[in-house]
Every structure is written in structure tokens, then in C-alpha cells.
Amino acid sequence: MKKEKKSKTSLITSKLKNRGYFFLCFIPMVILFFGLHTLENSKINEIHTISVNFSDFPDKALAKACIQGKTVSLLIDTGSCAEFSLQTSVLHYIKEKKFLEKLEVIGVKGDVYSLQNFLVPSVTLGNIKLKQITAREENDDFFINAGVLHSAPLSEIRTQKKIKYIQGKLGRMFLSQWTCLFDYPNSKLLLSKNTKSLISLYPSEKFIVIPFLNQKGITVSLNTDYGKKTFLLDTGANVSLLRKSQVSTKLAQEIHPGLWKCKVNTLEWDHQELGGSDFYLHDFCHEIPADGVLGIDFFKTHIVLIDFNDQLLYISNPSNKK
């Protein structure tokens, strides 16, 4: 009888020990799970601030990046389909880069340029450290001519400034990995994985939410004085554009031989006003899937958030605060 009691006591003790062992193992696992969950949430909510320089080139949004110990100035360009682009002179000094492929790229006038893609070991942008980045080489011909629609006055001076101050581009393929808030009125670009975290930083702004397409570029349909038009959002364009065929020159002003400009008083989505703007008239190539372009002049007067996951734009109206 005593032996039986003892064996039952031993069995109970053994079970308690096992349970104790289970709980000792389970508690650290719970802590680890919630710790990782918290860490993941902190990464999702993390906001990276990239300073934007307009002082060197007032109509170009430039950001500093570091590649193998050297600082380069990159144009923030939502109109570029590349992840990164670098001038030939910059790629030349990068060690351990790897050739990937040749490709053809069409410029704004329809000219075709033969370029190359390389794999670059690392790039640092602000506090973001990137590994194994695809960088498109932009030779001098492409860099100088691919984005030029019209030989405006002082174009040679502008070309020399481009060569001096811009060593590459930060393109749409990189930007589409984030939710991007372009606060160009305050000279900064904010990157996050969480749209709400970014919106919460601007409680006084009344954002207009607009769906967009992201195929050959970020395109949005808006109502204008000239009817419904599709616009490409292009931070690399130094002016906003409308196709010349869309507007009668009787409603425009010739500000330079062959260069026309018109005033668009109404830009709206679903009866919500975004404000008017000046547009230059030019028949850019048909590979650009839009009637017009919203360029850097638009971004410098509006705060624009691009949520690539949900394909939604949040655009502030500068005259309509909460």
C-alpha cells in the first residue's frame, strides 16, 4: 500500500516537473514571439527622412547617397523605371560591380538609347543600407539628351549644371518598395512601410485620396479646364506639361520661339480641387501613357504621398487646411 502511494506521489511529482519544464520553455518562447512581433511592428512603423537639396539646382530634387565611401548626388525621379541610375564616371570607380544585361530605353522624344545594368554591392541612403542594388548606367548621351524636350534659353548652362550636380537617379523601382511622402515644400522625402504613420505627421493637411495606375509610370486621371486628362507624376520633370495637341495655341502664350505655355485653372478629382497650375505645351513621345505630366513645380506646392501597395495618392491642397 505504501509503495502504491509512493508510486502515485512520484507520478504526480513527475507530471508537475514536466509541466514546470513546459512552462519554463513556453514563457521564453512567448517573450521571443512578442519581442519579434514588436520588432516587426517597429520596422513597419519606422520612418526614414531623406533630406532634399534644391539649393544647387532649384528645379531638381537631389538626395545624397554614399557608395563605397564616396558621396553622390541622386535625382529623385518617379519618372524613371530604374531602381538606381548612375553616370558612367561614377560606375567606373565602383569595385566588385557585376554586369547584368544590356537594355534599350526610350527618351521623352522617342529616341532609343542602348544602356547597361550592373549589380552594385551596396548603397547607403540616409540611414537605409541597401545591398546588391541594380544600377542602370547612364552614358553622357542619355544623361544629357534623353529628358530634354526643347532647347530652351540657357540650355547649355543647364547641361553643365546637370553634369556638375547630378551623378545619378533614385528611380521608381526603388521608391515603389516604400510608401513615399514627398514634402518638397519642406525639402524632405519620407519613406515608411506604414501609410498611417506618415499621414499622422500632417494633422493640419486635408489630403485628397486618388487612385492611380503604376504601369509605365504613375498615372492619374483628373478633370481640367480642357476636359478629363491623364497625368504622369514625374518628380524628375522640371516643369508640368500638356500635349500640344490637347490645347489650342489660341489659349496659350508663346514664351520662346516654338515654346508655349498655358494656364490650367482647374485640377480636380471627384469635385475636390487641387488648385491650378501653369503647363508647358509639347507633344512628347506616345510611349509616355498620359496627356500631361505633373512635374517638380507641382510637387513643390503640394505634399504628395504615394502608397504603392494600395495604389492610392494622397495629395494636399495648399489652400485647403483642416
Side-chain angles (χ1 to χ4, degrees):
M1 189 73 178
K2 286 183 180 179
K3 284 184 179 179
E4 190 178 337
K5 282 185 179 180
K6 189 175 181 181
S7 63
K8 284 184 178 180
T9 304
S10 298
L11 183 62
I12 293 169
T13 305
S14 176
K15 285 182 177 179
L16 288 173
K17 282 183 179 179
N18 288 337
R19 286 181 183 178
Y21 178 75
F22 170 75
F23 282 112
L24 283 173
C25 292
F26 178 70
I27 290 170
M29 287 172 66
V30 170
I31 293 171
L32 179 62
F33 171 78
F34 283 106
L36 289 173
H37 186 65
T38 303
L39 180 62
E40 189 63 30
N41 279 341
S42 69
K43 285 183 178 180
I44 290 172
N45 295 322
E46 189 175 5
I47 296 172
H48 302 276
T49 302
I50 310 298
S51 296
V52 179
N53 173 22
F54 289 106
S55 59
D56 292 332
F57 217 142
D59 56 13
K60 299 292 182 187
L62 306 179
K64 299 290 184 186
C66 184
I67 303 176
Q68 295 188 350
K70 293 192 177 184
T71 300
V72 295
S73 189
L74 303 177
L75 174 68
I76 302 169
D77 189 1
T78 58
S80 169
C81 63
E83 186 173 13
F84 282 80
S85 296
L86 295 172
Q87 283 189 40
T88 301
S89 57
V90 176
L91 272 167
H92 181 72
Y93 72 71
I94 297 176
K95 298 175 183 177
E96 298 177 5
K97 62 180 177 289
K98 181 182 177 183
F99 170 77
L100 292 178
E101 61 185 343
K102 289 185 177 182
L103 66 157
E104 290 187 339
V105 178
I106 300 172
V108 292
K109 290 185 287 191
D111 300 319
V112 179
Y113 298 86
S114 180
L115 305 177
Q116 300 180 94
N117 274 342
F118 288 86
L119 195 65
V120 174
S122 64
V123 176
T124 301
L125 181 69
N127 62 347
I128 304 172
K129 298 185 186 300
L130 305 162
K131 301 289 185 183
Q132 301 300 307
I133 297 302
T134 300
R136 186 173 72 189
E137 179 182 18
E138 294 196 350
N139 55 42
D140 291 345
D141 185 25
F142 180 87
F143 181 73
I144 294 169
N145 298 312
V148 177
L149 278 170
H150 190 278
S151 296
L154 307 177
S155 58
E156 182 57 34
I157 295 173
R158 284 186 59 82
T159 297
Q160 294 306 315
K161 284 186 73 175
K162 275 180 71 174
I163 294 169
K164 181 178 180 181
Y165 291 116
I166 305 174
Q167 286 86 52
K169 294 175 184 173
L170 191 63
R172 193 170 63 254
M173 191 177 292
F174 167 76
L175 295 169
S176 64
Q177 299 171 43
W178 305 85
T179 293
C180 307
L181 191 145
F182 298 82
D183 184 359
Y184 284 179
N186 294 300
S187 300
K188 59 186 177 182
L189 167 65
L190 306 180
L191 303 176
S192 179
K193 301 291 186 180
N194 190 321
T195 298
K196 289 182 179 178
S197 294
L198 292 172
I199 292 291
S200 67
L201 297 176
Y202 294 83
S204 65
E205 296 292 339
K206 187 176 180 181
F207 287 98
I208 298 170
V209 184
I210 307 172
F212 71 88
L213 295 176
N214 183 22
Q215 293 170 349
K216 290 185 177 179
I218 302 164
T219 55
V220 60
S221 293
L222 299 173
N223 293 317
T224 75
D225 311 30
Y226 308 103
K228 193 170 186 177
K229 304 294 179 189
T230 303
F231 292 93
L232 178 78
L233 273 74
D234 187 355
T235 57
N238 58 297
V239 293
S240 292
L241 300 165
L242 271 173
R243 289 191 187 276
K244 195 175 179 181
S245 57
Q246 300 279 332
V247 181
S248 170
T249 52
K250 292 179 181 179
L251 302 173
Q253 177 187 4
E254 191 174 24
I255 59 173
H256 184 71
L259 184 62
W260 295 79
K261 184 169 75 170
C262 73
K263 177 71 175 177
V264 175
N265 296 304
T266 300
L267 278 174
E268 66 173 30
W269 163 261
D270 194 25
H271 306 293
Q272 299 176 88
E273 270 286 346
L274 294 171
S277 186
D278 290 331
F279 283 79
Y280 288 81
L281 303 182
H282 208 291
D283 283 328
F284 41 89
C285 73
H286 290 286
E287 280 77 11
I288 297 174
D291 303 312
V293 173
L294 295 176
I296 194 71
D297 49 347
F298 181 85
F299 280 82
K300 288 179 79 172
T301 54
H302 298 74
I303 295 173
V304 180
L305 181 145
I306 305 178
D307 182 339
F308 284 96
N309 275 342
D310 292 333
Q311 292 195 280
L312 292 174
L313 296 173
Y314 294 71
I315 304 179
S316 72
N317 182 336
S319 62
N320 191 9
K321 302 282 185 180
K322 285 183 182 177

